[in-house]
């Protein structure tokens, strides 16, 4: 019985889990925040020295946490761009997160290639401010000397793997990480160097894309390092997602993704075609408004927290007495209505009560995500069960409404470090393949996530009626919003 480790370097911290190779049971854990000074209330910085991630990793692994570990997998925040010079040194701090500075660059790139459809066909996604290809365009325009010095490109998990291996000549990445760059196609499995040149102004060295069960290398101490992947792909792998599974993630914004056997090129740009950590695909549809809808409603009603909003919403009934909220408070991406505002419809004397507004906020948020789910279903993606993630997934109003509105079995996993667990599972896979005990096409079977399971049951018809009420208001307010 061996042990492996998975580390997840998120935007704010490093978390490490040490797992049993055979069962996936978590044996030990480590944690450390990134040593990045962000004043209370300030936005997370857009530029971060990657050394902060290494310092955090070292602290999280302290106290002999990795003693006896045979292999390590690395998961890390997506979309972090690390430009390197010809000697492999960082040209400037990593550009991380959804960088508002790059919004103009995204529009420039879309036009430069000939529109949204051209990008969707080329790499399966339309440039967004967060993506490395867009940050490259910003770098070329705003920091011309740094752009000129840039000779190689890595993302966060690529860079950490490279550092753990002692900065070898060979630099690697995986399909999952590469699929989010904007210059690698999940459909063809190849880079588009011409898009790097379009963005940066010249070519740059890109990491080799290795297979899901491949090892990136071995440290001088004999520790195997697996391919690594992005946080989204690692979390999907840690949850044990398979064909027919979808994930609805409830953050300030929302996302819906599903496991699918092929890449989806979507000319509307609503689907981002990512690859997963197993050889399959993860088409993703994003909404700009999820939990921010609930927070805004709680503030409007003078409630202290989301739990209070949920309790109030439970005093109403499905359909909120005819009250419908289109939750497009920050504009919306799905449907593509960037400059719109939210709408509250169905106001009648009997519906003008706080509990109905609270319920309408939950139903509006979930119906918006159901719209996103329907974008995937409309492209032939099979959805048999839905994993509901995020702190809001624990709210009683969400759990009461989600099964009927999504029309599927809902799985609410217990909170755990699924990205780190997924990274550890990848490490176990690579270790087993290297030892000849596992098939490179079949990952190790680990125990599934402990979860609460919710069924739509008899309320499915009620949920369909609430959805239809929402769709009718959306179509009246924004006719043809979902026509591509």
């Amino acid at each position: 019985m061996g042990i492996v480790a998975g580390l997840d370097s998120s935007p704010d911290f490093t978390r490490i889990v040490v797992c049993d190779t055979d069962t996936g049971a978590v044996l030990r854990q480590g944690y450390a925040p990134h040593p990045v000074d962000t004043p209370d209330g300030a936005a997370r910085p857009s530029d971060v020295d990657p050394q902060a991630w290494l310092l955090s990793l070292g602290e999280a692994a302290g106290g002999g946490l990795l003693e006896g570990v045979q292999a390590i997998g690395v998961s890390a925040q997506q979309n972090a761009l690390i430009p390197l010079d010809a000697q492999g040194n960082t040209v400037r701090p990593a550009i991380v997160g959804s960088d508002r500075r790059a919004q103009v660059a995204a529009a420039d790139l879309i036009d430069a290639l000939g529109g949204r459809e051209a990008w969707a066909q080329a790499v399966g996604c339309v440039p967004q401010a967060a993506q490395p290809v867009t940050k490259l365009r910003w770098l070329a325009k705003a920091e011309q000397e740094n752009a000129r010095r840039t000779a190689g490109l890595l993302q966060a998990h690529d860079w950490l793997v490279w550092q753990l291996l002692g900065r070898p000549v060979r630099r690697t990445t995986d399909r999952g990480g590469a699929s989010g760059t904007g210059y690698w196609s999940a459909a063809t499995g190849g880079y588009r160097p011409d898009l790097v040149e379009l963005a940066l102004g010249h070519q740059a060295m890109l990491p080799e894309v290795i297979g899901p069960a491949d090892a990136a290398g071995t440290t001088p101490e004999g520790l195997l390092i697996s391919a690594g992947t992005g946080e989204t792909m690692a979390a999907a792998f840690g949850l044990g997602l398979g064909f027919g599974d979808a994930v609805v993630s409830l953050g300030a914004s929302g996302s819906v993704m599903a496991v699918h056997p092929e890449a989806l090129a979507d000319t509307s740009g609503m689907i981002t075609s990512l690859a997963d950590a197993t050889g399959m695909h993860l088409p993703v549809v994003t909404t700009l408004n999820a939990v921010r809808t609930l927070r805004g409603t709680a503030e409007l009603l003078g409630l202290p927290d989301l739990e209070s909003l949920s309790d109030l919403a439970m005093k109403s009934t499905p359909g909120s007495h005819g009250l419908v909220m289109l939750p497009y408070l920050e504009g919306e991406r799905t449907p593509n209505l960037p400059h719109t505002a939210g709408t509250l419809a169905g106001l009648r004397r009997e519906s003008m009560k706080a509990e109905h507004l609270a319920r309408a906020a939950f139903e509006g948020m979930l119906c918006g995500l159901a719209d996103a789910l329907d974008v995937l279903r409309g492209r032939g993606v099979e959805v048999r069960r839905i994993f509901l993630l995020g702190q809001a997934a624990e709210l009683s109003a969400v759990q009461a409404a989600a099964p009927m509105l999504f029309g599927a079995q809902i799985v609410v996993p217990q909170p755990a470090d699924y990205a780190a667990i997924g990274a550890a599972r990848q490490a176990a896979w690579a270790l087993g393949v290297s030892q000849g005990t596992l098939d490179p096409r079949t990952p190790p079977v680990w125990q599934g996530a402990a979860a609460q399971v919710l069924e739509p049951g008899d309320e499915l018809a009620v949920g369909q009626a609430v959805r239809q009420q929402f769709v009718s208001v959306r179509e009246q307010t924004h006719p043809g919003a979902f026509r591509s």
Side-chain angles (χ1 to χ4, degrees):
M1 184 173 66
I3 57 173
V4 292
L7 72 88
D8 176 38
S9 181
S10 83
D12 298 314
F13 56 80
T14 299
R15 200 177 293 277
I16 302 176
V17 296
V18 175
C19 298
D20 175 83
T21 308
D22 298 324
T23 67
V26 176
L27 307 175
R28 304 192 289 267
Q29 300 183 61
Y31 168 88
H34 293 328
V36 177
D37 185 22
T38 305
D40 290 344
R44 185 184 289 139
S46 297
D47 295 336
V48 175
D49 183 349
Q51 292 296 328
W53 307 333
L54 275 184
L55 291 170
S56 174
L57 192 165
E59 185 178 344
L65 183 77
L66 299 179
E67 188 174 335
V69 165
Q70 297 168 279
I72 294 180
V74 177
S75 155
Q77 61 179 302
Q78 288 157 238
N79 298 319
L81 177 69
I82 306 163
L84 303 177
D85 64 18
Q87 287 73 45
N89 300 313
T90 52
V91 169
R92 67 177 315 285
I95 310 173
V96 300
S98 185
D99 195 329
R100 290 186 178 273
R101 297 174 300 183
Q103 287 177 338
V104 173
D108 285 348
L109 279 177
I110 292 169
D111 291 342
L113 195 64
R116 299 169 66 86
E117 184 172 349
W119 278 96
Q121 294 291 346
V123 288
C125 59
V126 177
Q128 303 287 334
Q131 286 182 300
V133 71
T134 307
K135 291 168 179 171
L136 279 180
R137 180 73 159 196
W138 174 83
L139 189 68
K141 298 285 188 181
E143 298 181 1
Q144 294 180 11
E145 177 57 23
N146 283 339
R148 188 189 62 78
R149 291 176 53 217
T150 297
L153 303 172
L154 293 177
Q155 293 190 90
H157 97 258
D158 311 336
W159 188 84
L160 285 166
V161 166
W162 187 52
Q163 297 293 324
L164 289 172
L165 291 172
R167 296 166 52 113
V169 172
R170 182 194 190 211
R171 300 171 190 161
T172 63
T173 189
D174 86 308
R175 299 168 65 255
S179 66
T181 59
Y183 44 80
W184 186 87
S185 167
T188 66
Y191 281 117
R192 287 288 301 265
D194 58 314
L195 299 183
V196 174
E197 188 166 355
L198 180 69
L200 184 61
H202 60 85
Q203 294 291 339
M205 183 179 294
L206 303 172
E208 176 188 347
V209 181
I210 61 177
D214 291 345
T218 306
T219 68
E221 298 77 27
L223 193 62
L224 183 141
I225 309 295
S226 64
T229 195
E231 271 190 317
T232 297
M233 300 79 190
F237 198 40
L239 282 165
L241 298 191
F243 185 66
D245 289 336
V247 172
V248 172
S249 183
L250 301 176
S253 56
S255 67
V256 177
M257 68 178 180
V259 178
H260 197 58
E262 60 188 25
L264 296 178
D266 174 53
T267 55
S268 73
M270 285 191 288
I271 298 175
T272 297
S273 191
L274 299 177
D276 79 345
T278 72
M280 297 276 276
H281 294 267
L282 280 177
V284 180
V285 180
T286 302
T287 68
L288 295 181
N289 299 280
V291 174
R292 61 165 45 97
T293 304
L294 305 182
R295 295 201 185 284
T297 306
E299 289 170 10
L300 179 65
L301 293 173
L303 298 173
D305 51 41
L306 297 186
E307 288 75 14
S308 301
L309 184 71
S310 175
D311 292 343
L312 184 62
M314 293 299 287
K315 295 178 181 177
S316 182
T317 54
S320 309
H321 275 242
L323 210 55
V324 175
M325 181 184 290
L326 301 184
Y328 307 150
L329 307 185
E330 299 280 334
E332 190 45 82
R333 182 174 167 186
T334 306
N336 185 28
L337 299 167
H339 306 300
T340 194
T343 301
L344 191 61
L347 283 169
R348 293 185 176 85
R349 179 66 189 88
E350 62 270 19
S351 66
M352 295 178 71
K353 293 183 178 180
E355 59 263 32
H356 302 324
L357 178 57
R359 177 91 188 195
F362 281 96
E363 290 180 346
M365 175 190 74
L366 292 170
C367 283
L369 287 160
D371 280 349
L373 189 64
D374 283 349
V375 171
L376 295 179
R377 282 172 163 155
R379 293 297 308 278
V381 176
E382 185 174 346
V383 178
R384 290 194 294 265
R385 62 176 180 168
I386 297 169
F387 286 74
L388 203 57
L389 303 184
Q391 287 186 327
E394 302 288 333
L395 297 174
S396 56
V398 169
Q399 294 190 5
M404 69 170 84
L405 293 178
F406 291 139
Q409 183 186 82
I410 302 295
V411 180
V412 185
Q414 288 185 2
D417 304 315
Y418 291 111
I421 291 168
R425 189 179 176 206
Q426 186 194 65
W429 194 7
L431 179 66
V433 169
S434 74
Q435 295 173 338
T437 58
L438 287 177
D439 188 318
R441 296 163 298 182
T442 308
V445 177
W446 279 9
Q447 57 197 18
Q452 185 178 4
V453 178
L454 310 168
E455 301 283 356
D458 297 337
E459 294 192 314
L460 186 57
V462 176
Q464 289 174 332
V466 175
R467 276 295 312 281
Q468 188 53 53
Q469 179 178 269
F470 178 90
V471 169
S472 296
V473 172
R474 189 195 69 220
E475 279 299 302
Q476 290 168 10
T477 312
H478 305 287
F482 275 101
R483 290 179 198 143
S484 56

